[in-house]
Amino acid sequence: MPLVALWAHGSLALGDYQPGRSDLDLVALVGTELDDAQQAELRVVHERLIADVPLARSLHCTYVPQGDRSDRAQKHPTWAQGEWFERPVTPVSRRELALGAVVLHGPPPVGLLPGVSDQELAEFIRAELADYWLPVTGNAKAELWLQDIWVDLGMLTFARASVTLRDGQLITKGEALEELRSMGAPTAVVDDICRRRYGTDLLKNPSASDGFRARRAEQARQFVRAGITTLLAQHGNPPPGPAHASRLTRRPLPPA
């Protein structure tokens, strides 16, 4: 399996990488399509890496064969969230790579991956909000929001999507926190997210309280739901379609 290039995107490319807290998002350009044996070998490599280096749990990598730029929705072998599956290189990822990929090996991605127009990026984000995130904010999913990960992803994804649909810009999670404050998001919720992503004293954890966690869950869920509803009304609802997993966050949609 010849490695042609290796690029980092996400927080590292946008200048907001937090060691031990951020994911390390990679795209590997390989010389040929991976056969079943090569995919099995790569899966073992990732599993061994996690066993040897705990931080490797946050490493995600999509393996893209060189030369085929015709199908932007083509799914490629991927290791993410401790699993081996297939997914496309999304418009958000391609825009991040075009803006400031960290080139770890080989040539830069410009000309080697399909570009992404502002229209494609906006349509992709609207579909994510309508088909994935809006259902997750419904009453049937209320218990999810008791977990830190859903509060963080829901609030930050909504803020980042709002800026992209408004200005066409991609922003970091740190900038998304400031955007949430300017939107009038619940202060305690925003402070809690900021503490867990950027704080130094993680032992003082107010979200450990069941009472705080319950209040935070309802405030975050209602804020994100109302915000997405308004945002889609302003920018147009996309055609409905199934969304079994968020292409923005890679988290599966829980069963109803």
Side-chain angles (χ1 to χ4, degrees):
M1 182 197 71
L3 178 65
V4 177
L6 183 64
W7 310 305
H9 59 102
S11 297
L12 188 61
L14 294 175
D16 192 39
Y17 182 77
Q18 303 297 309
R21 303 182 190 184
S22 298
D23 292 334
L24 179 57
D25 297 309
L26 305 178
V27 171
L29 188 69
V30 294
T32 60
E33 293 239 9
L34 302 179
D35 60 28
D36 290 344
Q38 289 171 320
Q39 291 192 42
E41 183 179 354
L42 277 172
R43 178 171 184 166
V44 171
V45 168
H46 280 285
E47 291 171 344
R48 288 177 177 171
L49 187 59
I50 289 174
D52 294 338
V53 184
L55 280 177
R57 293 183 181 277
S58 299
L59 188 154
H60 305 150
C61 188
T62 297
Y63 295 87
V64 179
Q66 185 180 22
D68 185 4
R69 303 175 69 244
S70 59
D71 186 356
R72 296 168 187 246
Q74 177 67 40
K75 294 181 179 180
H76 305 292
T78 298
W79 176 268
Q81 305 291 342
E83 298 181 10
W84 186 263
F85 56 98
E86 291 192 345
R87 71 175 185 207
V89 180
T90 70
V92 170
S93 297
R94 286 189 276 119
R95 177 61 64 88
E96 288 174 351
L97 287 163
L99 287 174
V102 177
V103 179
L104 303 173
H105 175 77
V110 176
L112 296 175
L113 289 178
V116 54
S117 67
D118 290 344
Q119 180 179 349
E120 181 187 2
L121 183 64
E123 289 176 352
F124 170 80
I125 289 175
R126 290 201 307 271
E128 285 291 293
L129 295 177
D131 297 340
Y132 181 85
W133 279 105
L134 196 58
V136 167
T137 64
N139 290 334
K141 308 296 183 184
E143 287 191 4
L144 290 176
W145 294 79
L146 294 171
Q147 303 173 46
D148 294 346
I149 187 64
W150 288 99
V151 172
D152 293 0
L153 288 177
M155 295 284 284
L156 294 173
T157 297
F158 165 63
R160 298 174 83 178
S162 298
V163 172
T164 303
L165 291 179
R166 183 186 70 213
D167 303 330
Q169 302 296 314
L170 298 183
I171 63 172
T172 67
K173 291 180 179 179
E175 291 168 332
L177 286 169
E178 295 308 310
E179 183 69 18
L180 286 169
R181 296 187 195 281
S182 71
M183 290 174 167
T187 300
V189 178
V190 178
D191 287 346
D192 184 57
I193 298 171
C194 185
R195 178 195 58 79
R196 277 183 281 102
R197 181 165 177 81
Y198 300 103
T200 56
D201 189 357
L202 298 181
L203 295 178
K204 296 180 179 179
N205 183 5
S207 60
S209 159
D210 289 343
F212 176 83
R213 193 175 291 272
R215 291 190 300 274
R216 183 192 66 176
E218 196 60 16
Q219 289 175 344
R221 184 176 68 88
Q222 291 188 7
F223 178 81
V224 173
R225 185 170 185 82
I228 290 176
T229 301
T230 300
L231 196 61
L232 291 175
Q234 292 172 342
H235 294 276
N237 284 280
H244 302 295
S246 171
R247 292 161 288 176
L248 290 175
T249 63
R250 300 176 296 276
R251 296 197 67 81
L253 182 63

